[in-house]
Structures are given as C-alpha cells and as structure tokens.
Amino acid sequence: QVQLQESGPGLVKPSQTLSLTCTVSGGSISTNSYYWSWIRQHPGKGLEWIGNIYYVGTTYYNPSLKSRLTISLDTSKNQFSLKLASVTAADTAIYYCARSQRILSSLSVVPGSLNSWGQGTLVTVSS
Amino acid sequence: QSVLTQPPSVSGAPGEKVTISCAGSSSNIGAGYDVHWYQQAPGTAPKLLIYGDMNRPSGVPDRFSGSKSGTSASLAISGLQAEDEADYYCQSYDSSLSAHVLFGGGTKLTVL
C-alpha cells in the first residue's frame, strides 16, 4: 500500500521560500494513473488545494497561489516537491501531500479522489 | 467562499441519521463530474470516505452513503456513533475554473 510522507522545515521566515518534499513509498510516482497533490489547511479552517503534478511533469496550480508556486518531481527519488515563494503569516498551515486518482468523468480525464494522504506537516511563517 | 457549499455544522444523536449537503453548479456537480467525500477527525489527515459519488473504499462502513442529483450531492450517515464526530468535506472538479481540485468548505458533525 502506498504511503506518503512530508518533510521540510517547520518554521520559515517571512519573505523567504517554503520548501517541502513528499516521499512516496510502496508505489512509483512514474505512473499515468495518478496526479500527485499538495493541499493545505490553515489553523481551524478547511482544505485548500495548492496544486497537482503529473508524472511527465505537467503541473496544475491554484490560481491564487500560481505566481509564487513551483511543484516539481524527482522520479529517481520517488519524491515530489513544493516551493512557495515570498511567504507571509497567511501561509502558516498544515501542508499535506496526497495521491489523486486520474479518472474519466463526464468525458474528460480529471483528478478524482485523493485516496492516499501524508500525515501532514505544520509550517509556521514567523520571524 | 467555496464554489462547493456545505452547511457549517450538523448534529444528531447516537443511532440517528444525518445528511450533509454539497451544493455546486452546472460547471461542476451539475456537469456530471464525480463527487468525493472525506472525513477528518481532529488532529488527523483527511480520510477518503466516498468516491465517485457513491462508492465506499474498502473498510468504510456501509453506514456511510453518497448520492448526487442535479447540481448537488449528499453524504448520509446512519446509525450515528460517537466516533463519527469529525469534519466532512466534499470534493469535485470544475470545468470553468483553472483550479484542478475543488473542496467544499467543510461541515462539522457533532454527535450529541
């Protein structure tokens, strides 16, 4: 069974770049069956999709974060990563990585359910 | 404000049935895109509860059921148990937005 694990600094200074890595075990990220996703949750709030990456490197970003966001993957390490630039206190959140099934829905191939999640990592933006 | 609208809270007594709604539009749920539901207990990662509108992953009790009609979807929980107290989120896709993944705002279920 696939497992995902987030790693990275728990504290980032304002204006710096938040960098997280998700290590996937029990399955390869080089598969056409899934998107690899980042989701965050501000303290006490709901889930916010950050972005997806497909194994060939195609990325899909939340428009509200797109100008600061880079998602990449390292197939040799079976990892994918998130970089969010110019962070502020508003970026303080729990960050989750997850695996999203690619499905045929309403005649289009779209992200389906997020069927595997990492445990999440709290990132605090503070000086 | 989320494109997928859920009630902020619902409640029910043990043994009762509750329903959580997820209201969308013609570009997401109404366009036929699949709806998925997640359960998030305090301090834990979300867990997939229902996928493809009405399907339960292995291990999810049949007390949980999903449905969809028109531009809305619903999650029903019957035979409420104390451990069902959690936050619940719906998720779908929208063809008119650049966002690849949409979540509802979440519903807090309280078991009285």
Side-chain angles (χ1 to χ4, degrees), chain B residues 63-89:
Chain B
R63 301 186 296 105
F64 296 90
S65 63
S67 63
K68 185 171 77 176
S69 179
T71 59
S72 293
S74 294
L75 172 70
I77 310 171
S78 60
L80 267 181
Q81 300 180 2
E83 59 260 36
D84 298 333
E85 187 161 294
D87 295 323
Y88 293 82
Y89 296 90

mmCIF file of all heavy atoms in Angstrom, chain B residues 63-89:
data_model
loop_
_atom_site.group_PDB
_atom_site.id
_atom_site.type_symbol
_atom_site.label_atom_id
_atom_site.label_comp_id
_atom_site.label_asym_id
_atom_site.label_seq_id
_atom_site.Cartn_x
_atom_site.Cartn_y
_atom_site.Cartn_z
ATOM 1 N N ARG B 63 -22.671 2.310 6.771
ATOM 2 C CA ARG B 63 -23.481 3.379 7.376
ATOM 3 C C ARG B 63 -23.290 4.698 6.608
ATOM 4 O O ARG B 63 -24.113 5.604 6.717
ATOM 5 C CB ARG B 63 -23.077 3.607 8.836
ATOM 6 C CG ARG B 63 -23.217 2.389 9.725
ATOM 7 C CD ARG B 63 -22.941 2.731 11.172
ATOM 8 N NE ARG B 63 -21.579 3.164 11.448
ATOM 9 C CZ ARG B 63 -21.215 4.431 11.684
ATOM 10 N NH1 ARG B 63 -22.128 5.392 11.660
ATOM 11 N NH2 ARG B 63 -19.960 4.724 11.947
ATOM 12 N N PHE B 64 -22.193 4.772 5.864
ATOM 13 C CA PHE B 64 -21.882 5.967 5.085
ATOM 14 C C PHE B 64 -22.318 5.734 3.635
ATOM 15 O O PHE B 64 -21.951 4.721 3.024
ATOM 16 C CB PHE B 64 -20.391 6.277 5.121
ATOM 17 C CG PHE B 64 -19.873 6.628 6.481
ATOM 18 C CD1 PHE B 64 -19.398 5.637 7.329
ATOM 19 C CD2 PHE B 64 -19.877 7.946 6.922
ATOM 20 C CE1 PHE B 64 -18.923 5.951 8.599
ATOM 21 C CE2 PHE B 64 -19.401 8.274 8.182
ATOM 22 C CZ PHE B 64 -18.927 7.272 9.022
ATOM 23 N N SER B 65 -23.079 6.667 3.097
ATOM 24 C CA SER B 65 -23.525 6.542 1.715
ATOM 25 C C SER B 65 -23.544 7.895 1.040
ATOM 26 O O SER B 65 -23.761 8.924 1.697
ATOM 27 C CB SER B 65 -24.906 5.890 1.645
ATOM 28 O OG SER B 65 -25.866 6.695 2.293
ATOM 29 N N GLY B 66 -23.291 7.882 -0.270
ATOM 30 C CA GLY B 66 -23.275 9.110 -1.039
ATOM 31 C C GLY B 66 -24.286 9.061 -2.162
ATOM 32 O O GLY B 66 -24.604 7.995 -2.680
ATOM 33 N N SER B 67 -24.755 10.252 -2.532
ATOM 34 C CA SER B 67 -25.682 10.356 -3.645
ATOM 35 C C SER B 67 -25.472 11.691 -4.344
ATOM 36 O O SER B 67 -24.818 12.593 -3.805
ATOM 37 C CB SER B 67 -27.127 10.221 -3.168
ATOM 38 O OG SER B 67 -27.463 11.277 -2.282
ATOM 39 N N LYS B 68 -26.031 11.784 -5.546
ATOM 40 C CA LYS B 68 -25.902 13.019 -6.309
ATOM 41 C C LYS B 68 -27.175 13.205 -7.122
ATOM 42 O O LYS B 68 -27.726 12.251 -7.669
ATOM 43 C CB LYS B 68 -24.685 12.942 -7.229
ATOM 44 C CG LYS B 68 -24.371 14.211 -7.987
ATOM 45 C CD LYS B 68 -23.031 14.110 -8.705
ATOM 46 C CE LYS B 68 -23.110 13.283 -9.960
ATOM 47 N NZ LYS B 68 -21.810 13.264 -10.699
ATOM 48 N N SER B 69 -27.605 14.450 -7.206
ATOM 49 C CA SER B 69 -28.776 14.780 -8.006
ATOM 50 C C SER B 69 -28.666 16.216 -8.485
ATOM 51 O O SER B 69 -28.487 17.133 -7.669
ATOM 52 C CB SER B 69 -30.067 14.597 -7.202
ATOM 53 O OG SER B 69 -31.196 14.951 -7.980
ATOM 54 N N GLY B 70 -28.745 16.413 -9.779
ATOM 55 C CA GLY B 70 -28.652 17.757 -10.332
ATOM 56 C C GLY B 70 -27.322 18.402 -10.007
ATOM 57 O O GLY B 70 -26.260 17.853 -10.311
ATOM 58 N N THR B 71 -27.368 19.548 -9.369
ATOM 59 C CA THR B 71 -26.143 20.289 -9.039
ATOM 60 C C THR B 71 -25.718 20.092 -7.585
ATOM 61 O O THR B 71 -24.901 20.854 -7.073
ATOM 62 C CB THR B 71 -26.331 21.786 -9.312
ATOM 63 O OG1 THR B 71 -27.428 22.264 -8.525
ATOM 64 C CG2 THR B 71 -26.600 22.062 -10.783
ATOM 65 N N SER B 72 -26.265 19.083 -6.931
ATOM 66 C CA SER B 72 -25.921 18.848 -5.529
ATOM 67 C C SER B 72 -25.578 17.387 -5.267
ATOM 68 O O SER B 72 -25.990 16.500 -6.020
ATOM 69 C CB SER B 72 -27.084 19.249 -4.611
ATOM 70 O OG SER B 72 -27.296 20.637 -4.630
ATOM 71 N N ALA B 73 -24.836 17.191 -4.207
ATOM 72 C CA ALA B 73 -24.513 15.853 -3.728
ATOM 73 C C ALA B 73 -24.767 15.798 -2.231
ATOM 74 O O ALA B 73 -24.839 16.843 -1.566
ATOM 75 C CB ALA B 73 -23.062 15.501 -4.026
ATOM 76 N N SER B 74 -24.898 14.594 -1.719
ATOM 77 C CA SER B 74 -25.162 14.433 -0.288
ATOM 78 C C SER B 74 -24.402 13.247 0.274
ATOM 79 O O SER B 74 -24.188 12.250 -0.428
ATOM 80 C CB SER B 74 -26.658 14.220 -0.037
ATOM 81 O OG SER B 74 -27.407 15.350 -0.366
ATOM 82 N N LEU B 75 -24.026 13.402 1.518
ATOM 83 C CA LEU B 75 -23.430 12.317 2.290
ATOM 84 C C LEU B 75 -24.396 12.005 3.425
ATOM 85 O O LEU B 75 -24.791 12.904 4.172
ATOM 86 C CB LEU B 75 -22.080 12.740 2.873
ATOM 87 C CG LEU B 75 -21.434 11.772 3.865
ATOM 88 C CD1 LEU B 75 -20.958 10.508 3.147
ATOM 89 C CD2 LEU B 75 -20.279 12.444 4.597
ATOM 90 N N ALA B 76 -24.807 10.763 3.527
ATOM 91 C CA ALA B 76 -25.689 10.342 4.601
ATOM 92 C C ALA B 76 -24.926 9.430 5.549
ATOM 93 O O ALA B 76 -24.162 8.562 5.110
ATOM 94 C CB ALA B 76 -26.912 9.614 4.037
ATOM 95 N N ILE B 77 -25.142 9.655 6.817
ATOM 96 C CA ILE B 77 -24.538 8.811 7.843
ATOM 97 C C ILE B 77 -25.667 8.296 8.724
ATOM 98 O O ILE B 77 -26.371 9.074 9.376
ATOM 99 C CB ILE B 77 -23.530 9.591 8.707
ATOM 100 C CG1 ILE B 77 -22.534 10.354 7.827
ATOM 101 C CG2 ILE B 77 -22.793 8.643 9.650
ATOM 102 C CD1 ILE B 77 -21.643 11.315 8.586
ATOM 103 N N SER B 78 -25.858 6.994 8.700
ATOM 104 C CA SER B 78 -26.925 6.403 9.502
ATOM 105 C C SER B 78 -26.329 5.715 10.725
ATOM 106 O O SER B 78 -25.130 5.432 10.775
ATOM 107 C CB SER B 78 -27.718 5.405 8.662
ATOM 108 O OG SER B 78 -26.878 4.371 8.203
ATOM 109 N N GLY B 79 -27.169 5.453 11.715
ATOM 110 C CA GLY B 79 -26.695 4.802 12.932
ATOM 111 C C GLY B 79 -25.520 5.538 13.544
ATOM 112 O O GLY B 79 -24.490 4.944 13.838
ATOM 113 N N LEU B 80 -25.698 6.837 13.735
ATOM 114 C CA LEU B 80 -24.606 7.688 14.218
ATOM 115 C C LEU B 80 -23.915 7.090 15.434
ATOM 116 O O LEU B 80 -24.562 6.577 16.360
ATOM 117 C CB LEU B 80 -25.131 9.065 14.594
ATOM 118 C CG LEU B 80 -25.109 10.186 13.555
ATOM 119 C CD1 LEU B 80 -25.652 11.457 14.139
ATOM 120 C CD2 LEU B 80 -23.720 10.371 12.974
ATOM 121 N N GLN B 81 -22.605 7.191 15.405
ATOM 122 C CA GLN B 81 -21.786 6.755 16.526
ATOM 123 C C GLN B 81 -20.897 7.911 16.973
ATOM 124 O O GLN B 81 -20.598 8.814 16.200
ATOM 125 C CB GLN B 81 -20.933 5.552 16.128
ATOM 126 C CG GLN B 81 -21.741 4.347 15.678
ATOM 127 C CD GLN B 81 -20.884 3.161 15.285
ATOM 128 O OE1 GLN B 81 -19.657 3.199 15.372
ATOM 129 N NE2 GLN B 81 -21.526 2.089 14.842
ATOM 130 N N ALA B 82 -20.468 7.833 18.207
ATOM 131 C CA ALA B 82 -19.647 8.905 18.773
ATOM 132 C C ALA B 82 -18.405 9.166 17.926
ATOM 133 O O ALA B 82 -17.982 10.315 17.754
ATOM 134 C CB ALA B 82 -19.264 8.574 20.206
ATOM 135 N N GLU B 83 -17.831 8.099 17.379
ATOM 136 C CA GLU B 83 -16.591 8.265 16.602
ATOM 137 C C GLU B 83 -16.819 8.902 15.239
ATOM 138 O O GLU B 83 -15.867 9.199 14.522
ATOM 139 C CB GLU B 83 -15.875 6.925 16.420
ATOM 140 C CG GLU B 83 -16.686 5.870 15.708
ATOM 141 C CD GLU B 83 -17.298 4.889 16.680
ATOM 142 O OE1 GLU B 83 -17.690 5.309 17.788
ATOM 143 O OE2 GLU B 83 -17.390 3.707 16.318
ATOM 144 N N ASP B 84 -18.081 9.132 14.872
ATOM 145 C CA ASP B 84 -18.361 9.817 13.610
ATOM 146 C C ASP B 84 -18.181 11.321 13.744
ATOM 147 O O ASP B 84 -18.203 12.046 12.742
ATOM 148 C CB ASP B 84 -19.788 9.529 13.138
ATOM 149 C CG ASP B 84 -20.033 8.057 12.860
ATOM 150 O OD1 ASP B 84 -19.053 7.338 12.528
ATOM 151 O OD2 ASP B 84 -21.185 7.624 12.958
ATOM 152 N N GLU B 85 -18.032 11.799 14.972
ATOM 153 C CA GLU B 85 -17.846 13.238 15.171
ATOM 154 C C GLU B 85 -16.535 13.670 14.536
ATOM 155 O O GLU B 85 -15.447 13.235 14.935
ATOM 156 C CB GLU B 85 -17.864 13.582 16.658
ATOM 157 C CG GLU B 85 -17.847 15.077 16.942
ATOM 158 C CD GLU B 85 -18.327 15.427 18.331
ATOM 159 O OE1 GLU B 85 -19.518 15.207 18.628
ATOM 160 O OE2 GLU B 85 -17.489 15.935 19.117
ATOM 161 N N ALA B 86 -16.644 14.509 13.522
ATOM 162 C CA ALA B 86 -15.491 14.892 12.702
ATOM 163 C C ALA B 86 -15.929 15.991 11.735
ATOM 164 O O ALA B 86 -17.094 16.390 11.717
ATOM 165 C CB ALA B 86 -14.966 13.684 11.923
ATOM 166 N N ASP B 87 -14.984 16.456 10.952
ATOM 167 C CA ASP B 87 -15.276 17.365 9.853
ATOM 168 C C ASP B 87 -15.387 16.559 8.566
ATOM 169 O O ASP B 87 -14.624 15.608 8.355
ATOM 170 C CB ASP B 87 -14.174 18.414 9.705
ATOM 171 C CG ASP B 87 -14.098 19.344 10.901
ATOM 172 O OD1 ASP B 87 -15.157 19.683 11.456
ATOM 173 O OD2 ASP B 87 -12.980 19.729 11.264
ATOM 174 N N TYR B 88 -16.313 16.955 7.710
ATOM 175 C CA TYR B 88 -16.557 16.253 6.454
ATOM 176 C C TYR B 88 -16.452 17.243 5.294
ATOM 177 O O TYR B 88 -16.986 18.356 5.369
ATOM 178 C CB TYR B 88 -17.928 15.589 6.471
ATOM 179 C CG TYR B 88 -18.017 14.465 7.482
ATOM 180 C CD1 TYR B 88 -18.268 14.718 8.828
ATOM 181 C CD2 TYR B 88 -17.795 13.142 7.092
ATOM 182 C CE1 TYR B 88 -18.305 13.693 9.756
ATOM 183 C CE2 TYR B 88 -17.845 12.110 8.010
ATOM 184 C CZ TYR B 88 -18.099 12.391 9.346
ATOM 185 O OH TYR B 88 -18.128 11.365 10.269
ATOM 186 N N TYR B 89 -15.753 16.828 4.239
ATOM 187 C CA TYR B 89 -15.527 17.683 3.079
ATOM 188 C C TYR B 89 -15.965 16.976 1.803
ATOM 189 O O TYR B 89 -15.673 15.786 1.617
ATOM 190 C CB TYR B 89 -14.044 18.035 2.946
ATOM 191 C CG TYR B 89 -13.492 18.852 4.079
ATOM 192 C CD1 TYR B 89 -12.931 18.238 5.195
ATOM 193 C CD2 TYR B 89 -13.520 20.247 4.036
ATOM 194 C CE1 TYR B 89 -12.426 18.986 6.248
ATOM 195 C CE2 TYR B 89 -13.017 21.008 5.081
ATOM 196 C CZ TYR B 89 -12.475 20.371 6.187
ATOM 197 O OH TYR B 89 -11.973 21.115 7.224
#
